[in-house]
Amino acid sequence: MNRLLKVSVIVAVVLCFGGVIYAADSNEFGQLLSKIKTYDFDKSRVDCIKVSDMIREASGKPEMKGMEKQLDAFLESDATYAAKDFVCRELSIAGTEASVPALASMLTDEKVSDIARYALERIPGPAVDDALRKALPKAEGKAKIGIINTLGVRGDKKAVESLAKLTNDANETVAVAAVAALSRIDDQGATDAIARAKDKATGAIKTAALDAYLRCADRLAAKGQKNAAGAIYKELYAANEPMIVRVAAARGMIETAGDKTGEVVVEMLKSADKPIQTVAIATLKEVAKTDVIKAAMEQIPNLEAIQQAQLISALADCGDKVALPTVLAAAKNSHDFVRVTALRAMGTLGDVSSVDMLVAAAVSSGGEEQKAAQESLYRLRGPDVDDAILKKLPDAEPKAKVELVRSCEQRDIKKSVPVLMKTAKDADAKVRIESIKALRALAGPQDIPALIELQLAASGNDRGELEKTVVVVSKKIPEDKGQGQAVLAALPLAKDLDAKCSLLSVLGKIGDESALPVLREALGDKDDQVKDAAVRALSDWPTATPAADLLKVAQTSENQVHKTLALRGYVRLAGLKSNRPAEETMKMYKDAMALAADVSEKKMVLSGLGSTDSFEAMQMAESYLGDKELKEEAEAAVMKIAEERAKNSPRISAQTKDILQKVIDGTTNESVREQAQKLLKQGK
Amino acid sequence: MSENNKVNRRGFLKTAAGVAAGAITIPYIVPSSVFGADGSVAPSNRLHVGMIGVGGQGTWDMRGFLDKSETLVVAVCDIDVKHQKLAKAETDLKYGNSDCKTYLDFRDVIARSDIDIISTAIPDHWHSIPAIMAAEAGKDIYGQKPLARTIKEGRAICDAVKRYGRIWQTGSWQRSVYNFRRACELVRNGRIGKVHTVEVGLPTGSTRGNESIKPVPEGVDWDMWLGPAPWVPFRGILHWDWRWIMDYSGGQMTDWAGHHIDIAHWALDLEHTGPVEIEGHGTYPKDGIFNVPYQYKVTTKYANGLTMIIANDRQLPHGMGACFYGDKGWLHVTRDEPIHAEPKSVVDEVIGPNEIHLYESKDHFQNFLDCIKSRRETITPAEIAHRSLTPALLGEISMLTGRKLKWDPEKEAIIGDEEASRMLSRPMRSPWHLYM
């Protein structure tokens, strides 16, 4: 007796203790729920968020059971729609079968049926299905359709009979929903019901049934039941079904044909219906077996040009080289778009044996066809393609040579450099130019002496292109490793003035500072041609380092051409990006303006000034607003500077506003005025 | 007359493109010469386009079609009559006639047998139903990203597109920009070595206070706008800002998944798979009408050991874009910037003919139109868009449950978390369902 009492007391204490803890949590949760009873969509969500957080915290813990009970009770309370909507959303994630009674009671009420379903559809367990099935006959309108939809989503096999009956419903929306729901239920009875609906129905219900039947077949196929799936596809492939259904069925037939895939593909390629031919071609990649590809290839002569082109592309996508002879033959097709397609396919399927054919096509055609041949030549895969190209290059005809040289560049064949050095001296001008351009991409620093040799021996356009090549290749050397050394070393080799000037020009574009003394010395050369070359080279310099040299020439030269060239170069260098203080840049422009001899030179200075991001530059430009001849350039410079400054600082200073107002008042250019007004408006 | 001219041009366009011809896959583009020396096509021979959703993005897409000689925009549809009128005015002005028809219900556009292309730019919760219906009706589809609001809806779109052999282009246009393809080719060809981590930076979200219930603006069909989403009264959120509300969107993370996650997948050859582990942490608004996270960080692991971190730009060192970290260096690509890499020489590397060359498109709309003619898969088919979006949608579920998820990318199932699995789909408001 004592022992029993003891045990009873312990149990009571435990229960009581547990109850106290539960009550504490439960109270907090309950209080929150009371608060949200009046929640509406335009109110604060703070308490709802707290409820959500508590539910998430309780997920998988024993206390969730009690909380769920409170949520269910909440649904039966007089809470607002918004509050119940919120609770249903919570139950959709945290709810269990325990919530079914509360939710099921809402199902037939069209006002709240959707929110109840929102929860029920996601809650697992047969009790939910039972409740939905039970509600179905009592529900009407949208509530009924919603229940049908949810039964489908849940794949409830026990609902098949009821849903099957509803496929005959007088309400078309209900019948369509029933058909769609049946298609989501993995059950033979459901599939049979859809088949019956397909045969009996018309209009939207028939369309839905055909789609549903296809999805049943797809599911069977995915489960490996290819015969059953194939039978449905075959039934739907019948000539009297809509073409889009036949197309889908044809795809299914091919995918489930197993060993007979080739036969099915051929049968479809022989079809009188182009869409069927097309779907057979489209599906080829998914069933890409060599025997099927071969069977399809044999049908090419029987296809119209459009389908031929489509099939050739499909063959390329399959990537099986067995198709190469067919593609080669198609490259000679009488239809240009078939030829283009075949030439493009060669890039994927071709190999070393395709080089001649692609070169010939690139040489003999133009437009898209030539582009296709060229691109495929550039893309041909295989370890021996590059060697084949190099082997053919020296003895090819000029036009073929051009194509082969281009392919060396595009294929990045570094080992082609010695060959290209030779073709850069070819008798054919186009071959030479293409070779020099290819060398620009492929040659390395070790090739610079040879390139300079070519440069010095060349003339005219060739020399110009070679100068560019020497510059580009020299710049492949790291900046601190003497980019101009090879050119400097070659200077003594220049046999005539033209050659020397050509090298000086290259030195200017490279911009290696160790070349500056040489160029400065050349400024004082006794020969005007050399001086001219030196001024131009310094003007091309990539940084402002030789600016002072150019200024000096502009100030002191007695040769007007050199003066002009130097001033132009000086303004160019002033405009290059630099870390020097803004006032130094301003001084450069002021010096340049002081030296500008005529209107065109002044315009040039103002144009350069426009790239300077400083208020002083704007003021300088402003000072020319009243000059009739320079007004236009001055306005442009002011606007350019002002806009650039506005990007960094939207607030416009009073002084800038004054200048802009001056532009507005004085300009005759409407666009400039609008631009200035817009800036002023933005800056307010 | 040359041989190619013997092919009836209308026949070519229409039979190569529509159900009249069926479906095909061709990798190579039919030359513009087929359409005439200058590439022009008579109006009666053009592919007819029906635009569903002509707000900001939809108008942008509409202009994409208006600019093409092969297409004719014949229908514009929107739940906002104002949008309809503006879109029709622009279309009529372009064509110099008044032929473009306006619609409120997208089903009426899809039902038109003369329409070959459906283009959709509508809120995310509306993406699946019209897409599936359009596929069933034999239309080719230009669909805006993200592909769908849930993973199951995305799968249903992919299945429908495949079932009916439709050509699908997702609005993930970055794939048609040289810089992105170039970056992906450099990564794919191992220029930064074996990639172990990729950071995907997407925009940061925003918050907003609670909104009062307001009268529905004149000319707006609010019930149609809500469609399959739960009923709520109109609170002033209609265009654009729907993307901050969970019923309609997953926020910036899911919105932009179709851009930078897509690029990350492309570069890493993960386009047909997905992560195996996902752990997300988000900062959600404490109140207000917006309820998607404005800050987020999702760490995903792939079966090959790769880690992908998806986060709002402010939480990542390189901000927006995709930044790949390999055992030989790193590479970052984003919009309007050159590719940055370490070592710097990586950006100048040449990809040789025997290396991997990715699908090339120089014009996203043109790629779609070319594929309609050739029946080749586009540069961003539905399946790829679905896989690009999946990590973000799983990240969203992880954030909502507060748990790390395990994912089977083959079966597309969450492993061992029944509650989280419930969020792979969403119940739809009646009468809407996936297979209307």
Side-chain angles (χ1 to χ4, degrees):
Chain A
M1 191 65 184
N2 277 349
R3 193 167 170 260
L4 188 64
L5 186 66
K6 240 181 190 175
V7 169
S8 301
V9 169
I10 290 168
V11 168
V13 167
V14 167
L15 281 175
C16 183
F17 188 62
V20 168
I21 287 175
Y22 167 68
D25 285 345
S26 175
N27 279 343
E28 190 187 343
F29 190 65
Q31 280 163 12
L32 273 172
L33 284 180
S34 298
K35 278 189 180 178
I36 66 163
K37 266 177 94 175
T38 54
Y39 167 72
D40 208 346
F41 292 109
D42 55 349
K43 301 285 189 310
S44 166
R45 291 190 299 115
V46 168
D47 291 325
C48 292
I49 291 170
K50 285 180 187 166
V51 170
S52 290
D53 289 344
M54 286 187 79
I55 292 171
R56 194 170 57 183
E57 276 300 306
S59 172
K61 295 176 185 166
E63 57 263 37
M64 186 58 224
K65 209 174 174 182
M67 289 162 75
E68 186 178 359
K69 227 175 221 175
Q70 287 177 282
L71 291 169
D72 295 342
F74 187 91
L75 291 178
E76 286 159 2
S77 73
D78 58 354
T80 60
Y81 175 86
K84 287 184 181 177
D85 170 77
F86 164 74
V87 165
C88 285
R89 287 165 186 252
E90 294 299 319
L91 286 171
S92 82
I93 303 303
T96 68
E97 284 181 301
S99 296
V100 170
L103 291 164
S105 69
M106 300 160 71
L107 272 175
T108 50
D109 180 349
E110 212 168 315
K111 286 180 195 156
V112 289
S113 182
D114 273 330
I115 61 174
R117 262 192 327 104
Y118 198 94
L120 285 168
E121 190 167 306
R122 285 167 149 180
I123 296 172
V128 177
D129 301 326
D130 291 343
L132 287 163
R133 282 197 307 278
K134 209 170 157 190
L136 183 60
K138 296 178 213 155
E140 287 179 359
K142 283 186 181 175
K144 185 175 194 167
I145 294 165
I147 292 168
I148 293 168
N149 295 341
T150 294
L151 284 166
V153 172
R154 295 178 64 84
D156 179 19
K157 292 184 182 181
K158 288 185 184 168
V160 168
E161 200 181 325
S162 310
L163 293 172
K165 282 181 192 156
L166 289 171
T167 61
N168 300 316
D169 200 278
N171 181 328
E172 189 179 81
T173 313
V174 169
V176 167
V179 167
L182 283 166
S183 73
R184 304 179 83 155
I185 301 173
D186 186 5
D187 178 81
Q188 187 55 46
T191 307
D192 293 343
I194 291 166
R196 287 194 298 276
K198 166 187 77 73
D199 294 336
K200 275 202 307 195
T202 55
I205 307 168
K206 167 100 175 173
T207 305
L210 288 167
D211 175 60
Y213 206 33
L214 277 166
R215 279 186 284 109
C216 289
D218 287 354
R219 185 173 52 238
L220 288 167
K223 283 163 62 182
Q225 295 177 30
K226 296 202 170 177
N227 288 341
I232 295 177
Y233 292 133
K234 211 168 174 182
E235 191 183 338
L236 291 173
Y237 183 62
N240 55 343
E241 298 297 2
M243 184 53 79
I244 186 66
V245 173
R246 295 190 62 218
V247 163
R251 170 178 283 274
M253 281 172 72
I254 294 169
E255 287 176 347
T256 52
D259 295 344
K260 293 186 176 168
T261 306
E263 285 172 39
V264 176
V265 167
V266 168
E267 181 196 325
M268 288 175 182
L269 288 176
K270 285 180 178 172
S271 166
D273 297 314
K274 296 283 184 294
I276 301 300
Q277 291 181 349
T278 305
V279 77
I281 296 166
T283 314
L284 210 54
K285 192 181 167 189
E286 291 159 39
V287 293
K289 290 179 190 160
T290 300
D291 60 325
V292 179
I293 290 168
K294 277 183 178 171
M297 278 160 49
E298 285 168 14
Q299 295 305 312
I300 279 206
N302 306 323
L303 298 173
E304 284 190 11
I306 295 165
Q307 278 69 37
Q308 283 187 19
Q310 292 175 332
L311 180 51
I312 289 158
S313 280
L315 292 172
D317 268 356
C318 291
D320 192 326
K321 288 195 185 289
V322 73
L324 188 54
T326 300
V327 172
L328 272 169
K332 292 170 189 156
N333 195 287
S334 57
H335 293 280
D336 59 2
F337 60 90
V338 177
R339 290 198 301 276
V340 170
T341 309
L343 287 168
R344 291 197 188 279
M346 297 279 289
T348 307
L349 297 174
D351 54 27
V352 66
S353 68
S354 316
V355 174
D356 284 343
M357 187 264 172
L358 288 171
V359 171
V363 166
S364 62
S365 61
E368 291 282 346
E369 204 168 334
Q370 183 183 47
K371 207 171 147 198
Q374 288 170 332
E375 285 176 2
S376 284
L377 186 60
Y378 306 155
R379 284 189 306 148
L380 273 184
R381 298 175 82 91
D384 42 4
V385 175
D386 290 353
D387 288 340
I389 287 169
L390 289 181
K391 202 173 164 192
K392 289 169 198 300
L393 217 168
D395 302 322
E397 291 299 312
K399 281 186 178 174
K401 232 180 220 176
V402 166
E403 296 301 336
L404 289 163
V405 167
R406 283 176 181 159
S407 73
C408 285
E409 181 187 348
Q410 294 296 324
R411 296 177 64 83
D412 196 38
I413 309 176
K414 293 277 194 309
K415 61 185 175 185
S416 66
V417 170
V419 181
L420 294 173
M421 291 284 188
K422 285 181 189 162
T423 52
K425 293 184 279 189
D426 197 274
D428 186 275
K430 209 163 182 191
V431 172
R432 290 198 306 273
I433 294 296
E434 288 301 328
S435 301
I436 296 166
K437 286 181 180 172
L439 283 165
R440 208 170 289 164
L442 298 171
Q446 70 284 0
D447 303 312
I448 297 172
L451 287 169
I452 293 171
E453 205 176 305
L454 283 174
Q455 179 194 341
L456 296 179
S459 59
N461 196 21
D462 288 14
R463 179 173 275 180
E465 290 298 330
L466 275 158
E467 285 175 7
K468 288 181 200 164
T469 298
V470 172
V471 172
V472 170
V473 179
S474 296
K475 284 193 171 262
K476 292 180 186 176
I477 298 169
E479 276 184 26
D480 59 343
K481 303 284 181 202
Q483 292 178 331
Q485 289 309 304
V487 182
L488 283 170
L491 264 176
L493 304 176
K495 287 177 185 163
D496 54 42
L497 281 181
D498 281 350
K500 186 176 180 180
C501 293
S502 175
L503 290 174
L504 292 177
S505 168
V506 167
L507 283 172
K509 290 188 176 82
I510 293 171
D512 179 349
E513 297 214 357
S514 65
L516 276 175
V518 174
L519 290 171
R520 283 172 180 145
E521 193 186 325
L523 285 175
D525 198 281
K526 60 183 180 200
D527 193 291
D528 267 0
Q529 192 184 341
V530 175
K531 278 186 191 169
D532 187 280
V535 172
R536 288 177 194 271
L538 291 170
S539 299
D540 283 338
W541 204 261
T543 68
T545 310
D549 300 290
L550 288 169
L551 181 64
K552 197 175 163 192
V553 174
Q555 286 169 334
T556 62
S557 177
E558 288 169 8
N559 183 318
Q560 191 52 44
V561 174
H562 293 168
K563 277 172 88 88
T564 305
L565 282 174
L567 182 64
R568 196 175 293 165
Y570 184 70
V571 172
R572 178 187 163 269
L573 298 194
L576 294 176
K577 276 191 180 170
S578 160
N579 293 326
R580 70 174 165 262
E583 52 269 29
E584 280 183 31
T585 304
M586 282 310 301
K587 186 175 179 317
M588 288 177 81
Y589 281 113
K590 282 176 183 166
D591 288 346
M593 194 55 105
L595 286 167
D598 56 27
V599 170
S600 72
E601 288 186 349
K602 285 178 182 167
K603 282 183 178 178
M604 177 184 74
V605 177
L606 281 170
S607 171
L609 189 66
S611 317
T612 311
D613 179 11
S614 77
F615 179 69
E616 289 71 24
M618 201 191 306
Q619 278 182 315
M620 183 175 163
E622 180 208 2
S623 67
Y624 293 93
L625 285 174
D627 185 323
K628 273 185 190 170
E629 289 178 315
L630 299 174
K631 188 178 156 192
E632 209 174 307
E633 276 68 27
E635 283 173 0
V638 166
M639 292 312 301
K640 199 172 168 193
I641 298 166
E643 283 189 335
E644 200 52 43
R645 289 172 66 75
K647 278 185 202 165
N648 303 326
S649 169
R651 293 195 63 176
I652 296 177
S653 70
Q655 289 162 305
T656 302
K657 282 180 185 170
D658 288 346
I659 298 175
L660 287 172
Q661 193 56 51
K662 204 171 166 184
V663 170
I664 293 167
D665 295 342
T667 188
T668 51
N669 184 325
E670 202 50 44
S671 153
V672 169
R673 182 177 293 119
E674 277 175 21
Q675 211 180 339
Q677 282 168 336
K678 198 174 157 190
L679 264 186
L680 270 184
K681 204 175 166 189
Q682 277 173 6
K684 276 181 182 169
Chain B
M1 183 185 278
S2 68
E3 274 292 329
N4 65 305
N5 286 335
K6 288 179 187 170
V7 176
N8 174 292
R9 285 179 182 154
R10 177 173 173 80
F12 188 97
L13 267 177
K14 293 286 182 180
T15 64
V19 173
I24 277 274
T25 305
I26 282 198
Y28 307 116
I29 293 155
V30 175
S32 56
S33 58
V34 166
F35 310 113
D38 59 353
S40 63
V41 189
S44 58
N45 293 344
R46 293 180 186 171
L47 296 165
H48 290 185
V49 186
M51 305 295 307
I52 297 177
V54 279
Q57 185 63 52
T59 301
W60 183 263
D61 292 347
M62 183 180 78
R63 288 174 188 153
F65 290 112
L66 288 175
D67 284 346
K68 298 294 176 192
S69 59
E70 302 103 309
T71 51
L72 194 70
V73 176
V74 296
V76 292
C77 171
D78 204 288
I79 55 84
D80 187 341
V81 170
K82 238 183 331 186
H83 282 180
Q84 290 175 21
K85 285 181 178 168
L86 284 170
K88 175 179 165 55
E90 189 168 340
T91 303
D92 289 349
L93 181 69
K94 171 81 181 176
Y95 297 141
N97 59 32
S98 57
D99 294 350
C100 180
K101 299 278 181 287
T102 56
Y103 296 85
L104 188 92
D105 190 326
F106 68 91
R107 289 170 291 193
D108 296 332
V109 181
I110 293 172
R112 271 181 63 167
S113 61
D114 65 324
I115 285 180
D116 306 288
I117 294 170
I118 291 291
S119 177
T120 63
I122 42 188
D124 304 353
H125 71 286
W126 253 125
H127 279 191
S128 57
I129 296 171
I132 292 168
M133 283 183 79
E136 286 171 19
K139 317 293 187 191
D140 293 320
I141 304 148
Y142 188 97
Q144 265 308 329
K145 37 87 344 212
L147 186 72
R149 184 64 193 94
T150 68
I151 290 176
K152 290 210 170 162
E153 285 175 46
R155 172 49 56 207
I157 293 172
C158 294
D159 289 349
V161 167
K162 186 184 174 202
R163 180 177 306 117
Y164 290 102
R166 297 298 89 207
I167 298 302
W168 175 286
Q169 177 77 297
T170 315
S172 300
W173 54 265
Q174 289 184 174
R175 283 194 176 225
S176 296
V177 174
Y178 170 78
N179 239 24
F180 285 101
R181 179 168 51 82
R182 166 87 179 143
C184 291
E185 285 186 347
L186 288 168
V187 173
R188 275 249 193 146
N189 285 293
R191 295 301 194 269
I192 55 167
K194 186 174 163 37
V195 176
H196 50 80
T197 306
V198 54
E199 288 169 350
V200 176
L202 309 177
T204 301
S206 58
T207 59
R208 180 153 157 181
N210 290 295
E211 289 286 342
S212 61
I213 295 166
K214 300 172 175 70
V216 176
E218 203 183 322
V220 169
D221 186 336
W222 178 241
D223 189 68
M224 192 64 163
W225 189 94
L226 286 172
W231 182 86
V232 290
F234 180 70
R235 290 170 290 175
I237 302 294
L238 185 63
H239 305 307
W240 180 257
D241 279 332
W242 48 261
R243 69 197 67 226
W244 321 117
I245 299 174
M246 224 182 291
D247 277 348
Y248 323 119
S249 167
Q252 296 283 29
M253 184 174 65
T254 57
D255 193 22
W256 276 71
H259 286 313
H260 293 320
I261 297 178
D262 181 55
I263 293 301
H265 271 187
W266 198 21
L268 297 165
D269 197 13
L270 297 168
E271 297 166 286
H272 294 279
T273 184
V276 292
E277 262 182 34
I278 307 95
E279 185 167 18
H281 298 282
T283 311
Y284 286 82
K286 291 187 169 66
D287 196 7
I289 191 167
F290 294 171
N291 60 4
V292 296
Y294 55 93
Q295 297 231 55
Y296 47 90
K297 190 167 196 173
V298 178
T299 303
T300 66
K301 298 247 184 230
Y302 284 70
N304 62 1
L306 177 116
T307 299
M308 182 195 286
I309 297 161
I310 306 155
N312 59 301
D313 52 350
R314 293 177 199 168
Q315 297 194 65
L316 293 176
H318 287 89
M320 291 284 289
C323 190
F324 305 88
Y325 298 89
D327 55 17
K328 290 182 188 164
W330 60 263
L331 182 147
H332 175 251
V333 63
T334 190
R335 292 180 186 179
D336 305 323
E337 274 184 35
I339 297 168
H340 295 289
E342 193 58 49
K344 289 185 176 61
S345 57
V346 164
V347 295
D348 297 321
E349 290 266 346
V350 175
I351 309 293
N354 290 312
E355 296 188 274
I356 297 165
H357 290 260
L358 297 173
Y359 188 137
E360 184 177 351
S361 156
K362 291 174 183 164
D363 178 332
H364 212 57
F365 282 96
Q366 193 59 52
N367 172 252
F368 175 52
L369 299 177
D370 289 339
C371 291
I372 286 176
K373 289 169 239 161
S374 66
R375 311 312 291 172
R376 187 196 186 193
E377 205 165 65
T378 65
I379 194 160
T380 326
E383 181 69 30
I384 282 177
H386 175 60
R387 296 295 187 166
S388 303
L389 175 61
T390 296
L393 289 174
L394 290 170
E396 182 185 34
I397 297 174
S398 173
M399 285 192 277
L400 287 170
T401 56
R403 294 191 287 273
K404 184 195 267 194
L405 305 178
K406 288 195 183 298
W407 174 249
D408 181 338
E410 188 68 30
K411 292 180 184 157
E412 294 195 290
I414 292 171
I415 302 164
D417 192 331
E418 186 275 319
E419 267 187 22
S421 300
R422 297 186 194 189
M423 297 188 209
L424 292 173
S425 65
R426 282 186 176 189
M428 291 185 172
R429 191 167 67 102
S430 184
W432 300 103
H433 56 96
L434 271 184
Y435 306 106
M436 296 296 294

